[in-house]
Amino acid sequence: MRSMVPDYLADALADVEPDTSGALADYIPELAAADPGRLGAAFATVDGEVYGAGDVDVELTIQSISKPFAYALALADRGFDAVLAKVGVEPSGEAFNEISLEPATGRPRNPMINAGAITTHALAGVAGLGPAGRVERVLDGLSAFAGRRLRVDEGVCASELEHAHRNLAIGHLLRSHGVLTEDPDAVVEGYTRQCSVLVTTRDLALMAATLANRGVNPRTGERVVPEPVVRQVLSVMATCGMYDAAGDWATQVGIPAKSGVAGGLIGALPGQIGIATFSPRLDQHGNSVRGVSLFGRFSADMGLHVMEVPPPALGVVRAHTVVGSGAEAVRVVQLQGGLGFAALERVVREVAATDMPETTVALDLSTVYSVDDVARRMLLEVVRRLTLDGHDVHLVDPEVLVPAPDPGDGGRVTVVGSVDDVLAARRHRAAESGAVR
Ligand code: GLU
């Protein structure tokens, strides 16, 4: 069978292709010379599969899509406190090149607007690194997110630098507030080099997938940034990634995202996929027109909105039975699905409400596929309380979802591979004690 995913992507591109509204960014002459007809889309899964259609191997400059990644590097290199002291996390609701500094402190409101991104660039790498070392650090970091060595488009960089008056002004303003503590021209030049890094739509999808995969590049296996950094970056993308269109985007598309003026757009859906599109014509907010349409369609077609309500945990107790009779009887509570707080609360409620005359209780995880930390702790507390109530508790855990379970004070648990093992052990014990036959 041939996968339907590339066909789906090709269909989606064909649907948006006729829309030639919007305009190329013209404040950077090199970008104004781009081919406006380019169109591509790619999905990268968290296990490294990449699907693409259209111009997915054509290079474009990353532009503002570099901002969340440079922010991630700064957080990883300098720590949260040092970065938060210099750049806030409040949506400005303003355009990308708005000054948006907090009146009292001069701190940029968030790292997705230029003022914040210029500051963030200065925070990449260890303290004291010069401008060249910082650019190297950012290039290395962006390359690690993409899983291949990236390079700067010198033509676009020079073209933007010639017209970087506004960013230079922002840089000097930041310097005057003491947010930047060094030569602002060098920082703006470094930031411009960061924006001029060449990527393909495929690269962008993998970079987004690295965020979706908790900071580990799904292709190379490299941990690029720690998990708490990813959570911070995705949160800021969700609230500030689409500039003054952030609210529309959050309600209609609902995928943490970032756009760039060269026409790229990425979205990272935690635990699922990284998505990237490329189409250079921009709307009045500076976001790719066809990219925004494609993301709207992807989100609706595939239920990718992060606020899409997951199926309720009601079915977590798959079966609740008593196997065997008399002294051999075993109470089996078979759980299913992915276990989190809501699921475990159902289990706790059901176990608490059940009168259990049987000594042996088996909590069967053989049709469970994941147990998160709070579910694990609640499950072990169920074990402990059942032990204290006089039960002999078994955990059927063939996939070792709860390694080395320790129910703590007064709790005891026997781990087995199947319910049959519990029954065999029970029969053995019953025979030994002479309770039966
Ligand atoms: N290099 C561009 C600038 O700072 C990036 C803007 C964008 O992609 O939104 O003006």
Side-chain angles (χ1 to χ4, degrees):
M1 188 200 82
R2 223 170 48 115
S3 166
M4 67 289 277
V5 181
D7 302 346
Y8 168 78
L9 283 173
D11 280 355
L13 292 189
D15 277 356
V16 302
E17 182 140 38
D19 184 356
T20 56
S21 63
L24 293 175
D26 57 5
Y27 72 101
I28 304 174
E30 277 285 310
L31 291 186
D35 174 355
R38 292 287 187 202
L39 182 60
F43 288 170
T45 66
V46 290
D47 62 352
E49 190 66 29
V50 181
Y51 299 97
D55 297 322
V56 283
D57 295 312
V58 172
E59 287 185 315
L60 63 145
T61 50
I62 189 167
Q63 298 298 340
S64 280
I65 302 173
S66 65
K67 291 172 180 173
F69 298 101
Y71 183 50
L73 298 173
L75 289 167
D77 293 345
R78 300 286 183 98
F80 278 57
D81 290 348
V83 175
L84 286 167
K86 298 264 181 183
V87 187
V89 289
E90 292 306 327
S92 70
E94 292 174 326
F96 71 98
N97 56 3
E98 244 353 285
I99 314 278
S100 296
L101 305 184
E102 286 171 358
T105 58
R107 195 174 68 136
R109 290 201 196 274
N110 70 66
M112 300 293 124
I113 49 166
N114 284 6
I118 291 166
T119 309
T120 303
H121 176 84
L123 292 169
V126 293
L129 207 60
R134 218 158 34 212
V135 169
E136 225 18 69
R137 164 61 182 144
V138 171
L139 197 56
D140 284 349
L142 294 179
S143 300
F145 273 108
R148 76 173 180 103
R149 189 69 201 161
L150 302 175
R151 66 194 167 89
V152 171
D153 184 325
E154 297 295 343
V156 171
C157 183
S159 174
E160 179 165 358
L161 276 174
E162 260 181 57
H163 301 268
H165 310 297
R166 193 175 174 95
N167 283 341
L168 286 166
I170 293 174
H172 281 270
L173 203 57
L174 291 166
R175 178 72 186 83
S176 79
H177 282 290
V179 174
L180 291 182
T181 51
E182 57 192 289
D183 173 18
D185 293 355
V187 177
V188 171
E189 177 174 346
Y191 161 76
T192 308
R193 296 190 83 73
Q194 168 192 315
C195 288
S196 305
V197 167
L198 283 166
V199 286
T200 64
T201 309
R202 232 179 248 285
D203 292 328
L204 289 175
L206 272 166
M207 294 174 83
T210 302
L211 293 178
N213 192 37
R214 303 170 182 224
V216 174
N217 181 300
R219 275 279 171 88
T220 63
E222 182 183 352
R223 165 156 301 285
V224 184
V225 288
E227 272 187 51
V229 165
V230 172
R231 196 181 72 175
Q232 177 82 1
V233 171
L234 289 173
S235 306
V236 170
M237 285 167 70
T239 50
C240 314
M242 299 300 279
Y243 306 124
D244 37 344
D248 278 344
W249 181 269
T251 50
Q252 287 159 28
V253 180
I255 299 173
K258 189 71 204 81
S259 65
V261 284
L265 183 51
I266 63 160
L269 202 67
Q272 296 198 47
I273 50 170
I275 303 175
T277 60
F278 172 36
S279 172
R281 288 192 205 88
L282 310 179
D283 62 19
Q284 76 276 20
H285 305 292
N287 298 324
S288 163
V289 174
R290 297 191 293 198
V292 170
S293 302
L294 285 168
F295 267 81
R297 174 167 172 170
F298 296 154
S299 172
D301 287 354
M302 292 178 286
L304 299 181
H305 197 296
V306 279
M307 298 298 174
E308 195 85 25
V309 179
L314 301 182
V316 56
V317 179
R318 180 184 171 122
H320 188 164
T321 47
V322 176
V323 184
S325 58
E328 283 180 20
V330 175
R331 164 84 46 177
V332 180
V333 184
Q334 187 187 6
L335 309 183
Q336 66 180 357
L339 306 187
F341 171 77
L344 248 293
E345 187 278 335
R346 297 284 304 193
V347 175
V348 168
R349 208 170 347 144
E350 177 143 345
V351 172
T354 309
D355 185 26
M356 293 188 185
E358 306 78 20
T359 306
T360 308
V361 177
L363 299 169
D364 180 3
L365 304 184
S366 50
T367 50
V368 166
Y369 59 79
S370 69
V371 181
D372 76 7
D373 187 52
V374 65
R376 182 185 59 80
R377 286 184 280 136
M378 289 172 80
L379 192 68
L380 291 175
E381 187 59 14
V382 168
V383 169
R384 195 179 75 87
R385 291 181 182 224
L386 285 174
T387 315
L388 295 179
D389 287 350
H391 295 283
D392 179 17
V393 188
H394 293 249
L395 196 61
V396 181
D397 187 11
E399 305 290 337
V400 199
L401 295 172
V402 185
D406 175 9
D409 228 5
R412 214 161 43 81
V413 67
T414 311
V415 181
V416 291
S418 70
V419 172
D420 281 348
D421 292 347
V422 185
L423 297 175
R426 183 75 201 123
R427 261 196 305 274
H428 183 72
R429 226 155 332 135
E432 253 183 6
S433 70
V436 223
R437 272 180 292 261

